[in-house]
Amino acid sequence: MTAPSESSTSSGTPGNADAAAWAVINTIKVLAMDAVEKSQSGHPGTPMALAPAAYVLWSKFLRHDPTAPTWADRDRFILSCGHASMLLYPLLHLTGYGVSLDDIKNFRQWGSNTPGHPERGHTPGVEVTTGPLGQGVGNAVGMAMAERFLAARFNRPEFDIVDHRVWAFVSDGDLMEGIASEAASLAGHLRLGKLCLLYDDNRITIDGSTDLSFSEDVQKRFTAYGWKVLRVSSGNDLKAMQRAYAAARRESDRPTLIILRTEIGDPAPTKKGTSGAHGAPLGAAEVKATKAILGWPEEPFHVPAEAADHMAKLGRRAGREHKAWRKVFAAYAKAYPTEAVEFEQWMAGELPSGWDAGLPTFAGEKGLATRQAGQVVLDAVAKALPNLLGGSADLAHSNGTVIKEGGDYTAETPGRNVHWGIREHAMAAACNGMAAHGGVRPFAATFLIFADYLKPSFRLSALMHLPVVYVGTHDSIGVGEDGPTHQPIEQLAMLRALPNARVFRPADATETTECWKLALERTDGPSMLALTRQKLPVLDRAKYAPAAGVRKGGYVLKDASGAARVILLATGSEVHIALAAAEQLEQQGIPTRVVSLPSWEIFAAQPKAYRDEVLPPSVTARVSIEAAATFGWERWVGSAGTTIGLDHFGASAPAEKLYQEFGLTAGRVVDAARGLLQGGTR
Amino acid sequence: MTAPSESSTSSGTPGNADAAAWAVINTIKVLAMDAVEKSQSGHPGTPMALAPAAYVLWSKFLRHDPTAPTWADRDRFILSCGHASMLLYPLLHLTGYGVSLDDIKNFRQWGSNTPGHPERGHTPGVEVTTGPLGQGVGNAVGMAMAERFLAARFNRPEFDIVDHRVWAFVSDGDLMEGIASEAASLAGHLRLGKLCLLYDDNRITIDGSTDLSFSEDVQKRFTAYGWKVLRVSSGNDLKAMQRAYAAARRESDRPTLIILRTEIGDPAPTKKGTSGAHGAPLGAAEVKATKAILGWPEEPFHVPAEAADHMAKLGRRAGREHKAWRKVFAAYAKAYPTEAVEFEQWMAGELPSGWDAGLPTFAGEKGLATRQAGQVVLDAVAKALPNLLGGSADLAHSNGTVIKEGGDYTAETPGRNVHWGIREHAMAAACNGMAAHGGVRPFAATFLIFADYLKPSFRLSALMHLPVVYVGTHDSIGVGEDGPTHQPIEQLAMLRALPNARVFRPADATETTECWKLALERTDGPSMLALTRQKLPVLDRAKYAPAAGVRKGGYVLKDASGAARVILLATGSEVHIALAAAEQLEQQGIPTRVVSLPSWEIFAAQPKAYRDEVLPPSVTARVSIEAAATFGWERWVGSAGTTIGLDHFGASAPAEKLYQEFGLTAGRVVDAARGLLQGGTR
């Protein structure tokens, strides 16, 4: 542990040498105050406190090009404390990212590109959407992992075409969240030397002093994780911050935490250092008084020419590094043309043409759990997509997510099998970071029940339009003996209700191939593959419809012998129960159609004509069966239909026994269908 | 930090002095092996490794009475690594908790009381349901918090009627999970001296060595949290363990972590120390070889008389402490009769009669957010229920969950306002621990969006039938400027889909009172109160139906002027939009009924006659409006109805603007209703 400096300069009083620096810093402070004041909403205090730290980073360390926000080898900057968005927007404005002063005036307004929290894809220069605390720490870890993976793959002697760092600003709240602990422990384990977190140690949370709830020794805790920890004792000591960043940049073997003691809202005379500066406008009087302290005109949104010029110049200068890199890359492309093409293809997120040619087909096999089929598919996919990497939260073999010959992702060698440890939440957030970084296709696996543990990050995959592939195995009471703590019930509904997520629940090995394929073809959001623990028959596609129907989300797997009087709808393992029930109903003279519905989202997005073809409105006797909460199934079975599922928790017993006891049987489906035909009501 | 001993004895070779001890220990090992072997499912290795540690704890430290598993002043024992359930069941069997040898033979079978993971309420002596990792750590913290609160309330000079400890066994997986970090940090902050975790440092996870993913210094990390940390270098060194437990028991000012180096599966000759001993039967040959090493007969489930007698004796001896306590309590009841009655009432989980007499009514007020109404209700409830305690994850004032004059729960004084810090997950798990401990009524508050962060613990509240009250405010895009990261969309569906949970979304202040009341009346599961950020009118109940209808989950708030042609269904803030739409429809000559549906679960549980009265099957023109995912609403609007909601993410802008832009308006409801009447389809 090195303490670069314990000295501090007094607040807001620049020396002559860095007048331009303080002009910029104070511009950020003022814009933050003014924007929050104008919108009467937002968080002024943290941008004010972190303005100096951000200035030093952005002016002297951050490798970026405001004219090319997606430059592959840029440093990544993450504002994990996303509520401090008014720190980032002024920086983007001043350095030339195309955020205008009007945008800043429209902070938090409809249609503006300066939303309350930074949103990826919404504002150039915003790497990830932050706000839910702790997520940025996980994202940062994933980005640093992606960097190392790509560097190992593409760098060649004299060509370090991948060589950038990840900088993240984090708050007390970030560090209190469990996800940050998971991510930090993993980062220490992997010795991610290019990762640096700056911790805004302001000793204030919304409810008051951190003394209310937070008295741990953060420095010792991060040292325990294997991090290098530096301290800077004043948020206004530019030189000390510069030394700390420089030390972080010199470090190659450990991630670095810089603990920066700040005063929230500095220099607001009555509110600085209090929770009153955190999440509400300072108020006109306080803003006025603060501007007086800063020697600023009262006029809102004033940006002195000195600050604008200085940062614009820095922005332009930053572009030079990009130019230099482009030269190096051009030389690289000559020396290593194949690698260069591949690098660009990876960074563009494109699948190589014909990538799916080698995907497995399944036929005639004996029973195969869809998780086992998933492993077979992954074996093929991993060969076709060398930038696919990921792993499981300590359940790799159970999940069927081992990339054979992919090597382990360790501190020494960034292979393709990541051992996330029992850290589902950080796993998902790191996958978001990897996907947001670009160049790699990440996947994350665990038991489906533990989707609960990673839900906040899964939501952010969807919100950020990141094509992370999630594998959730042991997807029902088919788990059996492990009992109700491990048996998903409401998880499918939880994930299906989320916008822009796709949930796949394939009925057999063949559908599993199609689902994996659809998940990988996605470019704009996450997919969850819900796979069985238990073996399932591999459907003979000569007898049933081709699994290509999966591409429409739902399809007639087995049609009725005549005009269907009953439609059975099912997903995953319960499709086989539906098929058995249909056979019995047919034997009883009731023409019955079976629809497999592996992805509700894709099916719902089909034209009405197709949906009506699969589920003709005239056939109202419909029974759904799924070993999960029936919640939501009314969408497909309609008022006249019946849902069979589990609106209670599971139990510990062999799977077959549970299916019997809980009435997930062909007999019950038959009875329900007959009941509907006989005019029974639900 | 004290290291009680670095010495170790060799595996499974008892000295003469503790022959009985080893008979018991080896009985546990053998029963674990045999039960897993018989069911061909389960985790033998950890019970084998922890049998000595469990024996020492249960024989010399654990304050309990097998004949009275709910004795108020017992120590609480939590097996956080719930997969090691076959450690606990033999202990319950041998000490006399009414778990028979046949029960153990029926491990993981339908109807047995020995499920795969320990389940609260299912097996006497099981304090909490564990299995999802990390939860037990949070539960243990909550239990220790409850103990301290009750001790402060009820103990009197010479009457320590509340004076017990919490012991938990935890695994690598528990400590990797973020929730454990949150809980441990909080426990250190609160200086919970009666909490002791024993960490099974076996260096093995399912995927292999912990070296794959876990290299942090756990001792240093917990020291950073403010814990006392002890090390025992061998899982077989009974004396060293005894010294460590004794040191933990002497400690009053800090929680204690005992790091116990163990060998998983010890002494299985080929599998010990490997992940092969973790989650699968050892196999007949290995079991046989292990029994040979232990000098055990091959016959399955053999329990030597020496072990049975010794533990039965210890079980009986344990009862003596209970007897002594009962004497003390009888004397206490004489000296402090009021307190004694109250103590028993609290422990019984009973609400005092007339508790709800002072609950507020609201009328004629100006607009009031339901979170503000919630604060008013809480003020009254807190007076009536002095055992209600809880708090917010750093949003107390925003959530409206401050107990005035309740005092803070600090390391010095256990008041009623808990500052959980920004640790939603540990907050919920600790509330589960408090509720499972008994004597207190815990509540947990955060923004509704962060229900995501605590979902795994919320699920366990439901699974364990614990009446935790959750308050989730800022329950829709009504959040406004904070944007999509903070605006719930799918959270209501996620929570409604969970069995045994109740979600309440009151439409105004008056309904808020009813919902809080229902939540507190519950004894068998959690409730989530979804409350608005934004102000809402307080409905004039002279004009609308009484809010008592809330008690049936849904009710006709405003009936149509004539036979209803249209039914509008809504919850929370959107009820007011429905009312406005109904007024317009009525003006257009369309008799329209408005149904407020604050709790789907309670409404669904009403007799069909009542449901049909509220939603007559003949009226199929139904429109639902809720500022959330429409997922699940088909259950109430039927095939012929229409749902209005948000099947996409929100945005950052003032709330009113968002309602307009996203079409959550009376005009749209009117159009939808008219469309239905004109035979439009969805």
Coordinates of all heavy atoms in Angstrom, one line a residue, chain A residues 108 116-117 133 177-178 182 185 189 205-207 211-213 215-217 224 394 423-424 452-453 455 459 482 490 630 634-635 639 652, chain B residues 108 116-117 133 177-178 182 185 189 205-207 211-213 215-217 224 394 423-424 452-453 455 459 482 490 498 634-635 639 652:
Chain A
R108 N -32.5 15.4 -17.6 CA -33.7 14.6 -17.0 C -35.0 14.9 -17.7 O -36.1 14.7 -17.1 CB -33.8 14.8 -15.5 CG -32.6 14.3 -14.7 CD -32.7 14.4 -13.2 NE -31.8 13.4 -12.6 CZ -32.2 12.6 -11.6 NH1 -33.4 12.6 -11.2 NH2 -31.4 11.7 -11.1
G116 N -31.5 10.9 -16.2 CA -31.2 10.9 -14.8 C -29.9 10.1 -14.4 O -29.1 10.5 -13.6
H117 N -29.9 8.9 -15.0 CA -28.7 8.1 -14.8 C -28.1 7.8 -16.2 O -28.9 7.8 -17.2 CB -29.1 6.8 -14.1 CG -29.5 7.0 -12.7 ND1 -30.8 7.4 -12.4 CD2 -28.8 6.8 -11.5 CE1 -30.9 7.5 -11.0 NE2 -29.7 7.2 -10.5
L133 N -26.9 0.3 -7.6 CA -25.5 0.3 -7.1 C -24.8 -1.0 -7.2 O -25.4 -2.1 -7.1 CB -25.5 0.9 -5.7 CG -25.9 2.4 -5.7 CD1 -26.1 3.0 -4.3 CD2 -24.8 3.2 -6.5
E177 N -22.9 -2.8 -1.5 CA -23.7 -3.9 -2.2 C -22.9 -5.2 -2.3 O -21.7 -5.1 -2.7 CB -24.1 -3.4 -3.6 CG -25.1 -2.3 -3.7 CD -26.5 -2.8 -3.3 OE1 -26.7 -3.9 -3.0 OE2 -27.4 -1.9 -3.3
G178 N -23.5 -6.3 -2.1 CA -22.8 -7.6 -2.2 C -22.2 -7.8 -3.5 O -21.1 -8.4 -3.6
E182 N -18.5 -9.5 -4.4 CA -18.2 -10.6 -5.3 C -17.2 -10.2 -6.4 O -16.3 -11.0 -6.7 CB -19.5 -11.1 -5.9 CG -20.5 -11.6 -4.9 CD -21.8 -12.0 -5.6 OE1 -21.9 -12.0 -6.9 OE2 -22.8 -12.4 -4.9
S185 N -13.7 -9.5 -5.2 CA -12.9 -10.8 -4.8 C -12.5 -11.5 -6.1 O -11.3 -12.0 -6.2 CB -13.9 -11.7 -4.0 OG -13.3 -12.9 -3.7
H189 N -8.6 -12.2 -7.4 CA -8.2 -13.5 -7.8 C -7.6 -13.6 -9.2 O -6.6 -14.2 -9.4 CB -9.4 -14.5 -7.7 CG -9.1 -15.8 -8.2 ND1 -8.5 -16.7 -7.4 CD2 -9.4 -16.5 -9.3 CE1 -8.3 -17.9 -8.0 NE2 -8.9 -17.7 -9.2
T205 N -24.3 9.0 3.3 CA -25.3 8.3 2.4 C -26.6 9.1 2.5 O -26.7 10.1 3.2 CB -25.5 6.9 2.9 OG1 -26.2 6.9 4.1 CG2 -24.2 6.1 3.0
I206 N -27.6 8.6 1.8 CA -28.8 9.4 1.8 C -29.4 9.6 3.2 O -29.9 10.6 3.5 CB -29.9 8.6 0.9 CG1 -29.4 8.6 -0.6 CG2 -31.2 9.3 1.0 CD1 -30.2 7.8 -1.5
D207 N -29.3 8.5 4.0 CA -29.9 8.7 5.3 C -29.0 9.4 6.3 O -29.4 9.7 7.4 CB -30.2 7.3 5.9 CG -31.5 6.7 5.3 OD1 -32.1 7.4 4.5 OD2 -31.8 5.6 5.6
D211 N -21.5 6.5 9.2 CA -21.4 5.9 10.6 C -22.7 5.2 11.0 O -22.7 4.3 11.9 CB -21.2 7.0 11.6 CG -19.8 7.7 11.4 OD1 -19.0 7.1 10.7 OD2 -19.6 8.7 12.0
L212 N -23.8 5.5 10.4 CA -25.1 4.9 10.7 C -25.0 3.4 10.4 O -25.7 2.6 11.0 CB -26.2 5.5 9.9 CG -26.7 6.9 10.3 CD1 -27.7 7.4 9.3 CD2 -27.3 6.8 11.7
S213 N -24.2 3.0 9.4 CA -24.3 1.6 8.9 C -23.0 1.0 8.4 O -23.0 -0.1 8.0 CB -25.4 1.5 7.8 OG -25.1 2.3 6.8
S215 N -18.9 0.8 8.9 CA -17.7 1.1 9.7 C -16.6 0.2 9.4 O -15.6 0.2 10.1 CB -18.1 1.2 11.2 OG -18.7 0.0 11.6
E216 N -16.7 -0.6 8.3 CA -15.6 -1.5 8.0 C -14.4 -0.7 7.5 O -14.5 0.4 7.1 CB -16.1 -2.4 6.9 CG -16.5 -1.7 5.6 CD -16.9 -2.7 4.5 OE1 -17.8 -3.5 4.8 OE2 -16.4 -2.6 3.4
D217 N -13.3 -1.4 7.5 CA -12.0 -0.9 7.0 C -11.9 -1.3 5.5 O -11.5 -2.4 5.2 CB -10.9 -1.5 7.9 CG -9.5 -0.9 7.5 OD1 -9.4 -0.5 6.3 OD2 -8.6 -1.0 8.3
A224 N -7.4 -7.6 1.4 CA -7.7 -9.0 1.6 C -8.1 -9.6 0.3 O -7.8 -10.8 0.1 CB -8.8 -9.2 2.7
D394 N -19.8 -22.0 -10.5 CA -19.4 -23.2 -9.8 C -20.4 -24.4 -10.1 O -20.5 -25.3 -9.2 CB -19.3 -23.0 -8.3 CG -18.6 -24.1 -7.6 OD1 -17.5 -24.4 -8.1 OD2 -19.0 -24.5 -6.5
R423 N -20.8 -16.8 -7.3 CA -21.0 -15.3 -7.3 C -21.9 -15.0 -8.6 O -21.4 -14.5 -9.5 CB -19.6 -14.6 -7.5 CG -18.6 -14.9 -6.5 CD -17.3 -14.1 -6.8 NE -16.2 -14.4 -5.9 CZ -15.1 -15.1 -6.2 NH1 -15.0 -15.7 -7.4 NH2 -14.2 -15.3 -5.3
E424 N -23.1 -15.4 -8.5 CA -24.0 -15.3 -9.6 C -24.2 -13.8 -10.1 O -24.2 -13.5 -11.3 CB -25.4 -15.9 -9.3 CG -25.4 -17.4 -9.0 CD -25.0 -17.7 -7.6 OE1 -24.9 -16.8 -6.8 OE2 -24.9 -18.9 -7.3
D452 N -32.7 -15.7 -9.6 CA -33.0 -14.7 -8.6 C -31.8 -13.9 -8.1 O -31.9 -12.7 -7.9 CB -33.6 -15.5 -7.4 CG -35.0 -15.9 -7.6 OD1 -35.6 -15.8 -8.7 OD2 -35.6 -16.4 -6.6
Y453 N -30.7 -14.6 -8.0 CA -29.5 -14.0 -7.4 C -28.9 -13.0 -8.4 O -28.1 -12.1 -8.0 CB -28.4 -15.0 -7.1 CG -28.5 -15.6 -5.7 CD1 -29.6 -16.5 -5.4 CD2 -27.6 -15.3 -4.7 CE1 -29.7 -17.0 -4.1 CE2 -27.7 -15.9 -3.4 CZ -28.7 -16.7 -3.1 OH -28.8 -17.3 -1.9
K455 N -30.8 -11.4 -10.9 CA -31.9 -10.6 -11.6 C -31.5 -9.2 -11.9 O -31.8 -8.7 -13.0 CB -33.1 -10.7 -10.7 CG -34.3 -9.8 -11.1 CD -34.9 -10.2 -12.4 CE -36.0 -9.4 -13.0 NZ -36.4 -8.1 -12.5
R459 N -31.6 -7.8 -15.7 CA -32.4 -6.6 -16.1 C -31.6 -5.6 -16.9 O -32.0 -5.1 -17.9 CB -33.1 -6.0 -14.9 CG -34.0 -4.8 -15.2 CD -34.7 -4.3 -14.0 NE -36.0 -3.8 -14.3 CZ -36.3 -2.5 -14.6 NH1 -35.4 -1.6 -14.6 NH2 -37.6 -2.2 -14.9
D482 N -33.3 -32.2 -4.4 CA -32.7 -31.0 -3.8 C -33.8 -30.1 -3.2 O -33.6 -29.3 -2.3 CB -31.9 -30.2 -4.7 CG -30.4 -30.6 -4.7 OD1 -30.0 -31.3 -3.7 OD2 -29.7 -30.3 -5.7
E490 N -41.5 -19.5 -10.0 CA -41.9 -18.3 -10.6 C -40.8 -17.7 -11.5 O -41.0 -16.6 -12.0 CB -42.3 -17.3 -9.4 CG -41.1 -16.7 -8.7 CD -40.4 -17.6 -7.7 OE1 -40.8 -18.8 -7.7 OE2 -39.6 -17.2 -6.9
T630 N -48.4 -20.8 -13.0 CA -49.3 -20.7 -14.2 C -49.4 -19.2 -14.6 O -50.0 -18.9 -15.7 CB -50.7 -21.2 -14.0 OG1 -51.3 -20.4 -12.9 CG2 -50.7 -22.6 -13.6
E634 N -52.6 -17.4 -19.1 CA -53.9 -17.0 -19.6 C -53.8 -16.3 -21.0 O -54.7 -16.3 -21.8 CB -54.7 -16.1 -18.6 CG -55.2 -16.9 -17.4 CD -54.1 -17.0 -16.3 OE1 -53.0 -16.5 -16.5 OE2 -54.5 -17.5 -15.2
R635 N -52.6 -15.6 -21.2 CA -52.4 -15.0 -22.5 C -52.6 -15.9 -23.6 O -53.0 -15.5 -24.7 CB -51.0 -14.4 -22.5 CG -50.6 -13.7 -23.7 CD -49.4 -12.8 -23.5 NE -49.6 -11.7 -22.6 CZ -48.7 -10.7 -22.2 NH1 -47.5 -10.8 -22.8 NH2 -49.0 -9.8 -21.4
S639 N -59.7 -17.1 -21.9 CA -60.7 -17.3 -20.8 C -61.3 -18.6 -20.8 O -61.7 -19.1 -19.7 CB -61.8 -16.2 -21.0 OG -61.3 -15.0 -21.1
S652 N -39.0 -32.0 -1.8 CA -37.8 -32.9 -1.9 C -38.2 -34.3 -2.1 O -38.7 -35.0 -1.2 CB -36.9 -32.7 -0.7 OG -35.9 -33.7 -0.7
Chain B
R108 N -34.6 -37.4 1.7 CA -34.9 -36.8 0.3 C -36.1 -37.6 -0.4 O -36.2 -37.5 -1.6 CB -33.7 -36.9 -0.6 CG -32.5 -36.0 -0.1 CD -31.3 -36.0 -1.0 NE -30.6 -34.7 -0.8 CZ -30.2 -33.9 -1.8 NH1 -30.5 -34.1 -3.0 NH2 -29.6 -32.7 -1.5
G116 N -34.0 -32.7 1.2 CA -32.7 -32.4 0.7 C -31.9 -31.3 1.3 O -30.8 -31.4 1.6
H117 N -32.6 -30.2 1.6 CA -32.1 -29.1 2.3 C -33.0 -28.9 3.5 O -34.2 -29.1 3.5 CB -32.0 -27.9 1.5 CG -31.1 -28.0 0.3 ND1 -31.3 -28.6 -0.8 CD2 -29.8 -27.5 0.2 CE1 -30.3 -28.6 -1.6 NE2 -29.3 -27.9 -1.0
L133 N -27.2 -20.2 -1.2 CA -26.0 -19.9 -0.4 C -26.0 -18.4 0.1 O -26.5 -17.6 -0.6 CB -24.7 -20.3 -1.1 CG -24.5 -21.8 -1.2 CD1 -23.4 -22.2 -2.0 CD2 -24.4 -22.4 0.2
E177 N -20.8 -15.5 -1.8 CA -22.0 -14.8 -2.1 C -22.0 -13.4 -1.6 O -21.7 -13.2 -0.4 CB -23.2 -15.5 -1.6 CG -23.5 -16.8 -2.3 CD -24.1 -16.7 -3.7 OE1 -24.2 -15.5 -4.2 OE2 -24.4 -17.7 -4.3
G178 N -22.4 -12.4 -2.4 CA -22.4 -11.0 -1.9 C -23.2 -10.8 -0.7 O -22.9 -10.0 0.2
E182 N -22.5 -8.4 2.7 CA -23.3 -7.4 3.2 C -23.6 -7.6 4.7 O -23.5 -6.8 5.6 CB -24.6 -7.3 2.4 CG -24.5 -6.9 1.0 CD -25.8 -6.9 0.2 OE1 -26.9 -7.1 0.9 OE2 -25.8 -6.7 -1.0
S185 N -20.6 -7.3 7.0 CA -20.2 -5.9 7.3 C -21.2 -5.3 8.3 O -20.7 -4.6 9.2 CB -20.2 -5.2 5.9 OG -20.0 -3.8 6.1
H189 N -20.4 -3.9 12.0 CA -20.8 -2.5 12.4 C -21.6 -2.5 13.7 O -21.4 -1.7 14.6 CB -21.6 -1.9 11.3 CG -22.2 -0.6 11.6 ND1 -21.4 0.6 11.6 CD2 -23.4 -0.2 11.9 CE1 -22.1 1.6 11.9 NE2 -23.4 1.2 12.2
T205 N -14.8 -26.6 -4.0 CA -16.1 -26.3 -4.4 C -16.6 -27.3 -5.5 O -15.8 -28.3 -5.8 CB -16.2 -24.9 -5.1 OG1 -15.5 -24.9 -6.3 CG2 -15.7 -23.8 -4.1
I206 N -17.8 -27.2 -6.0 CA -18.3 -28.2 -6.9 C -17.4 -28.4 -8.1 O -17.1 -29.5 -8.5 CB -19.7 -27.9 -7.3 CG1 -20.6 -27.9 -6.1 CG2 -20.2 -28.8 -8.4 CD1 -22.1 -27.5 -6.4
D207 N -16.9 -27.3 -8.6 CA -16.1 -27.4 -9.8 C -14.6 -27.8 -9.6 O -13.8 -27.9 -10.5 CB -16.1 -26.0 -10.6 CG -17.4 -25.9 -11.4 OD1 -18.2 -26.8 -11.4 OD2 -17.6 -24.8 -11.9
D211 N -9.0 -22.8 -5.4 CA -8.0 -22.0 -6.2 C -8.5 -21.6 -7.5 O -8.0 -20.6 -8.1 CB -6.7 -22.9 -6.4 CG -6.0 -23.2 -5.1 OD1 -6.4 -22.6 -4.1 OD2 -5.2 -24.1 -5.1
L212 N -9.5 -22.3 -8.0 CA -10.1 -21.9 -9.3 C -10.7 -20.4 -9.3 O -10.7 -19.8 -10.3 CB -11.2 -22.8 -9.7 CG -10.8 -24.2 -10.2 CD1 -12.0 -25.1 -10.3 CD2 -10.0 -24.1 -11.5
S213 N -11.2 -20.0 -8.1 CA -11.9 -18.8 -8.2 C -11.8 -18.0 -6.9 O -12.4 -16.9 -6.8 CB -13.4 -19.1 -8.5 OG -13.9 -19.9 -7.5
S215 N -9.3 -16.7 -3.9 CA -8.0 -16.7 -3.2 C -7.8 -15.5 -2.3 O -6.7 -15.2 -1.8 CB -6.9 -16.6 -4.3 OG -7.2 -15.5 -5.3
E216 N -9.0 -14.9 -1.9 CA -8.9 -13.8 -0.9 C -8.5 -14.3 0.4 O -8.6 -15.5 0.8 CB -10.3 -13.2 -0.8 CG -11.3 -14.1 -0.3 CD -12.7 -13.4 -0.2 OE1 -13.1 -12.8 -1.1 OE2 -13.3 -13.6 0.9
D217 N -8.1 -13.4 1.3 CA -7.7 -13.7 2.6 C -8.9 -13.5 3.5 O -9.2 -12.3 3.9 CB -6.5 -12.8 3.0 CG -6.0 -13.0 4.4 OD1 -6.8 -13.6 5.3 OD2 -4.9 -12.6 4.7
A224 N -11.4 -6.8 8.7 CA -11.8 -5.5 8.2 C -13.2 -5.2 8.5 O -13.5 -4.0 8.7 CB -11.5 -5.5 6.7
D394 N -31.1 2.5 3.3 CA -30.6 3.9 3.1 C -31.6 4.8 2.3 O -31.2 5.7 1.6 CB -29.3 3.8 2.4 CG -28.6 5.2 2.5 OD1 -28.5 5.8 3.6 OD2 -28.1 5.7 1.4
R423 N -27.8 -2.3 1.4 CA -27.6 -3.7 1.5 C -28.9 -4.4 1.5 O -29.4 -5.0 2.5 CB -26.8 -4.1 2.8 CG -25.5 -3.5 3.1 CD -24.9 -4.0 4.3 NE -23.7 -3.4 4.7 CZ -23.5 -2.4 5.6 NH1 -24.6 -2.0 6.3 NH2 -22.3 -1.9 5.9
E424 N -29.6 -4.3 0.4 CA -31.0 -4.8 0.3 C -31.1 -6.3 0.6 O -32.0 -6.8 1.2 CB -31.6 -4.5 -1.1 CG -31.7 -3.1 -1.5 CD -30.4 -2.5 -2.0 OE1 -29.4 -3.2 -2.2 OE2 -30.4 -1.3 -2.2
D452 N -35.6 -6.5 -6.9 CA -34.7 -7.4 -7.6 C -33.5 -7.8 -6.8 O -33.0 -8.9 -6.9 CB -34.2 -6.7 -8.9 CG -35.2 -6.6 -10.0 OD1 -36.4 -7.0 -9.8 OD2 -34.8 -6.1 -11.1
Y453 N -33.0 -6.8 -6.0 CA -31.7 -7.1 -5.3 C -32.0 -8.1 -4.1 O -31.1 -8.7 -3.6 CB -31.1 -5.8 -4.7 CG -30.2 -5.1 -5.7 CD1 -30.7 -4.4 -6.8 CD2 -28.8 -5.0 -5.4 CE1 -29.8 -3.8 -7.7 CE2 -28.0 -4.3 -6.3 CZ -28.5 -3.7 -7.4 OH -27.6 -3.0 -8.2
K455 N -34.6 -10.4 -4.1 CA -35.6 -11.4 -4.5 C -35.3 -12.8 -3.8 O -36.2 -13.5 -3.4 CB -35.6 -11.5 -6.0 CG -36.3 -12.7 -6.6 CD -37.8 -12.7 -6.5 CE -38.6 -13.8 -7.0 NZ -38.1 -15.1 -7.4
R459 N -38.1 -14.6 -1.6 CA -38.6 -16.0 -1.9 C -38.6 -16.9 -0.7 O -39.5 -17.6 -0.4 CB -37.8 -16.6 -3.0 CG -38.3 -18.0 -3.4 CD -37.5 -18.5 -4.6 NE -38.4 -19.4 -5.5 CZ -38.4 -20.7 -5.4 NH1 -37.7 -21.3 -4.6 NH2 -39.3 -21.3 -6.2
D482 N -35.6 9.9 -12.4 CA -34.5 9.0 -12.2 C -34.4 8.0 -13.3 O -33.3 7.3 -13.5 CB -34.6 8.3 -10.8 CG -34.0 9.1 -9.7 OD1 -33.1 9.9 -10.0 OD2 -34.3 8.8 -8.5
E490 N -41.4 -4.9 -14.4 CA -41.8 -6.3 -14.3 C -41.8 -6.8 -12.8 O -42.1 -8.0 -12.5 CB -40.8 -7.2 -15.1 CG -39.4 -7.4 -14.5 CD -38.5 -6.2 -14.6 OE1 -38.9 -5.2 -15.0 OE2 -37.3 -6.4 -14.2
L498 N -44.9 -15.4 -7.4 CA -44.3 -16.2 -6.3 C -45.3 -16.7 -5.4 O -46.2 -16.0 -4.9 CB -43.3 -15.2 -5.5 CG -42.6 -15.9 -4.3 CD1 -41.6 -16.9 -4.7 CD2 -42.0 -14.8 -3.4
E634 N -54.1 -10.8 -18.2 CA -55.2 -11.6 -18.9 C -56.0 -12.4 -17.9 O -57.2 -12.7 -18.2 CB -54.5 -12.5 -20.0 CG -53.9 -11.7 -21.1 CD -52.5 -11.3 -20.9 OE1 -52.0 -11.4 -19.8 OE2 -52.0 -10.7 -21.9
R635 N -55.4 -12.8 -16.8 CA -56.2 -13.5 -15.8 C -57.5 -12.8 -15.5 O -58.5 -13.4 -15.2 CB -55.3 -13.8 -14.6 CG -56.0 -14.6 -13.5 CD -54.9 -15.1 -12.5 NE -54.0 -16.1 -13.1 CZ -53.1 -16.7 -12.4 NH1 -52.9 -16.5 -11.2 NH2 -52.3 -17.6 -13.0
S639 N -60.1 -13.1 -22.4 CA -59.7 -13.1 -23.8 C -60.3 -11.9 -24.6 O -59.7 -11.4 -25.6 CB -60.2 -14.4 -24.6 OG -59.7 -15.5 -23.9
S652 N -36.4 8.7 -18.6 CA -36.1 9.8 -17.6 C -36.8 11.1 -18.0 O -36.4 11.7 -19.0 CB -34.6 10.0 -17.5 OG -34.2 11.2 -16.8

